[in-house]
Amino acid sequence: MTARRVLFALLALLPLAELPGTGFDVLRLPLALALGAALLALGPVARPGLAGAALLALLGARALSLGVSADPSAGFRALLVGATAFAAYAAAREAKAEPGLLAAAAGVLLGVAAWQRAHGLPGASLLGNSNYAGAYAAMLLPALAAGPRNPLALFGAAAAGVLLALSESRGGLFGAVVGTLVAAALLWRGGRRREAGAFASILLLAASLAVAARPAKFFSPERLETVVVRFEIWKGGLRLGASRPLLGAGAGGFAAAFPPYRSAEEARITQRNESGRYPEVDNAHSSWVQSFAEGGFLGALAWLALVAAAARRIGASGVEGAGWAGVVAAFFAAGLFNTLTDHVSPMVLFGAALGFLEGPGGRPAPKAAGRTAAAALGLGCLWTASLVASDRAYTAVAETPAERERVLRSSGEWRFRFRLGEELARQGRPAEAVDAFRSALEARPFHAVSLNNLAVALLKAKAPGEEVDRVLARAAEVAPHYHLTHFNLGLRHLEKGQPAAARAQFERAAWLNETHPASRYEIGATYVAEGDIPAALPHLRRAKELGVDVLTAIRREYPARAADPRLEELRR
């Protein structure tokens, strides 16, 4: 086996590479870049075909948008993920497909997902998220089922199908259906009609049975709410791109730029599903929307050019390429509902599928181009490898406050600064927490949690009230759908003797987060302060259900009202 085949085999097995205790692709990305650099350095590579040129154009658009990105580090990482796809494309044009390796990967991924489901966890396998596991399974299905006719490939296709079912990913299911239909159509056109009909019928029947077996799971109110969340994020992402039409928010800039474009409904559902947390929306949940949100019209045009070039290759494919055409179709279909362009495993498989479809090139690229590309990927590998230790430090759980503080001071990344502020606030050091939150906000000016924590820290540090008000006004401007923004505004109105204005803010906070006990209690408390006990009782009952010791709080804050007999029911 040649060195090129060994390296390409390792590239096919990348989905199995995971480092416990880190985020998505922390280990996969440097490994993919190292393998890509080695493959490009081994010898001459073919000049890019139409699809390869379109992939390079997408990378070029991302590189240009780095200049306007609010998070260049994340943007550079996104650019490198795309580079792994191009390396896989270039290598696949000179390599022979190894279905056995994909089948082995499918089997291992299925085994991990089955173990996870047996322990009550989502079937995310080694891919970090059940939606990405489903999308990757959808891409594996046609590659194995419509590829070479051998038992190992059929086993891999079956494993991919079960992995897809365990992931319960509707985007993955849609991708599998589209990829299956495209592969079956090419088999049919090539004369393998019985096989095409059986292939399409079995997989479509399996998909229908999977939905029919657990319709409550697929169409539960909670799952349908995720459709609302995605739709609202897509609308916000399109507004973000339209507000910066030339280059968008810049590669990697979506999370930093998106907060002002979040909708109230999406934020309300997210906060309820996340137990009151207000996580950032990291991506557009769609490769199609993300291309416009982060790249503006230039990025969207580059993405559509890639779609058109890939569609042309699919249309020109014969029976031998049916499986790879299905991979490409599944990638674009599942990418409607997931940002696959930000993740190594689907991008590498997509790039390889494009390379196999385009086939060996007629002329080699200049040696200098291949060596330059290999060197660039090698430098990217070194940079991403340097981030592994940082990511592990961020996710590690230190035992003592001093140790946590030491770890958090070890990096200047905004997320470390933010968590340092939280740690210092817990230790009763608000003045130092103020500095940490300000440092985090320099990189993430729209980060709602940092803004609110800064306001609280300023209050505890006895800062002027006007400064606190400015910070909270900024929070209400850029992240108006975070429940704690409104809760803290309500507390400020109470301090100023404005109970009606305070109650309006508490009511907004309670709507955004129905399970926030303090908001519900404060609504009732404002009515108690006014002597309107009947209006207060529904809110105080709800606060008690949520765990608030209502009577104790009333006695402490409004002792003159605590003896009111109408509050007696709250003792029970």
Side-chain angles (χ1 to χ4, degrees):
M1 182 177 287
T2 65
R4 188 183 293 275
R5 291 185 65 186
V6 171
L7 291 171
F8 193 73
L10 293 174
L11 201 61
L13 295 174
L14 264 181
L16 307 184
E18 186 196 51
L19 195 63
T22 58
F24 288 170
D25 290 341
V26 170
L27 182 61
R28 281 191 200 97
L29 182 53
L31 286 176
L33 291 167
L35 292 170
L39 282 163
L40 293 176
L42 276 177
V45 294
R47 289 178 182 271
L50 181 64
L55 190 53
L56 277 178
L58 183 64
L59 291 178
R62 278 191 171 184
L64 283 175
S65 71
L66 275 175
V68 299
S69 177
D71 192 344
S73 177
F76 190 52
R77 181 190 176 283
L79 181 65
L80 291 174
V81 171
T84 64
F86 183 78
Y89 159 84
R93 297 186 74 195
E94 308 295 331
K96 180 181 179 182
E98 298 283 356
L101 295 173
L102 289 179
V108 175
L109 293 173
L110 171 60
V112 174
W115 180 89
Q116 290 171 330
R117 290 301 301 273
H119 288 75
L121 302 171
S125 197
L126 296 173
L127 298 170
N129 179 291
S130 57
N131 285 321
Y132 291 110
Y136 191 73
M139 294 171 68
L140 283 176
L141 262 173
L144 293 166
R149 303 183 215 182
N150 65 61
L152 190 57
L154 292 177
F155 160 78
V162 178
L163 173 61
L164 174 62
L166 289 179
S167 74
E168 297 180 343
S169 167
R170 289 167 298 181
L173 183 60
F174 180 71
V177 169
V178 172
T180 296
L181 289 176
V182 167
L186 291 172
L187 290 175
W188 181 278
R189 190 175 70 182
R192 291 164 59 178
R193 298 190 171 185
R194 182 177 299 178
E195 185 178 343
F199 172 43
S201 299
I202 290 172
L203 288 179
L204 291 176
L205 178 62
S208 301
L209 290 175
V211 175
R214 302 185 69 182
K217 185 69 176 178
F218 273 87
F219 303 109
S220 66
E222 292 78 13
R223 293 300 297 273
L224 292 177
E225 279 188 337
T226 64
V227 176
V228 175
V229 168
R230 267 185 167 76
F231 185 65
E232 293 297 326
I233 291 173
W234 294 343
K235 289 197 300 183
L238 293 174
R239 291 197 301 272
L240 170 58
S243 70
R244 309 173 187 195
L246 182 59
L247 294 173
F254 186 93
F258 187 67
Y261 300 90
R262 295 183 79 168
S263 74
E265 187 64 14
E266 177 270 317
R268 186 180 68 85
I269 294 171
T270 298
Q271 288 173 94
R272 184 175 68 240
N273 292 344
E274 294 287 338
S275 302
R277 290 176 58 250
Y278 192 70
E280 289 189 299
V281 179
D282 293 328
N283 59 74
H285 293 268
S286 169
S287 296
W288 298 71
V289 176
Q290 184 105 345
S291 67
F292 180 55
E294 287 195 346
F297 287 108
L298 182 63
L301 286 173
W303 173 258
L304 293 176
L306 178 61
V307 174
R312 183 172 178 179
R313 291 311 316 162
I314 289 173
S317 297
V319 171
E320 297 78 12
W324 300 118
V327 171
V328 173
F331 172 83
F332 286 118
L336 285 167
F337 306 97
N338 301 285
T339 310
L340 301 183
T341 43
D342 277 357
H343 292 269
V344 172
S345 296
M347 284 297 281
V348 165
L349 184 54
F350 167 71
L354 272 187
F356 285 128
L357 283 178
E358 203 136 60
R363 290 189 303 160
K367 290 183 179 180
R371 290 170 181 168
T372 302
L377 264 63
L379 291 173
C381 171
L382 293 176
W383 179 72
T384 53
S386 71
L387 302 180
V388 174
S390 173
D391 195 273
R392 286 181 66 82
Y394 180 77
T395 55
V397 180
E399 294 183 359
T400 66
E403 178 64 17
R404 285 195 295 272
E405 183 180 343
R406 185 192 67 77
V407 170
L408 294 173
R409 288 188 184 278
S410 67
S411 172
E413 289 183 59
W414 80 270
R415 56 180 183 160
F416 281 80
R417 300 288 95 191
F418 165 65
R419 281 186 52 188
L420 176 62
E422 291 186 313
E423 181 60 37
L424 293 170
R426 279 193 296 269
Q427 294 180 23
R429 298 154 63 184
E432 294 175 79
V434 165
D435 293 335
F437 289 130
R438 288 195 191 281
S439 178
L441 285 164
E442 289 176 3
R444 278 288 199 281
F446 297 153
H447 193 236
V449 182
S450 288
L451 283 165
N452 277 273
N453 287 357
L454 174 59
V456 173
L458 285 168
L459 276 173
K460 292 182 178 179
K462 309 300 183 184
E466 295 80 5
E467 187 175 4
V468 177
D469 290 338
R470 283 196 298 271
V471 172
L472 286 176
R474 174 65 173 165
E477 176 189 357
V478 303
H481 308 308
Y482 182 30
H483 72 281
L484 285 184
T485 296
H486 296 280
F487 179 75
N488 289 326
L489 283 168
L491 293 179
R492 285 292 292 156
H493 283 303
L494 283 182
E495 290 179 0
K496 297 174 183 179
Q498 302 166 341
R503 184 161 56 240
Q505 295 293 342
F506 294 139
E507 287 173 345
R508 181 66 175 174
W511 181 80
L512 287 166
N513 182 2
E514 300 165 358
T515 61
H516 188 232
S519 293
R520 189 59 64 183
Y521 166 77
E522 292 294 351
I523 296 170
T526 59
Y527 283 117
V528 169
E530 296 170 353
D532 191 350
I533 303 302
L537 281 173
H539 303 286
L540 295 178
R541 291 188 196 109
R542 178 59 178 151
K544 184 179 179 182
E545 291 172 3
L546 293 171
V548 178
D549 187 348
V550 172
L551 277 182
T552 298
I554 294 293
R555 288 194 195 100
R556 181 177 63 251
E557 297 174 18
Y558 307 102
R561 306 286 189 189
D564 193 304
R566 290 171 294 183
L567 295 174
E568 186 64 28
E569 69 170 84
L570 297 174
R571 299 181 189 278
R572 297 190 291 273

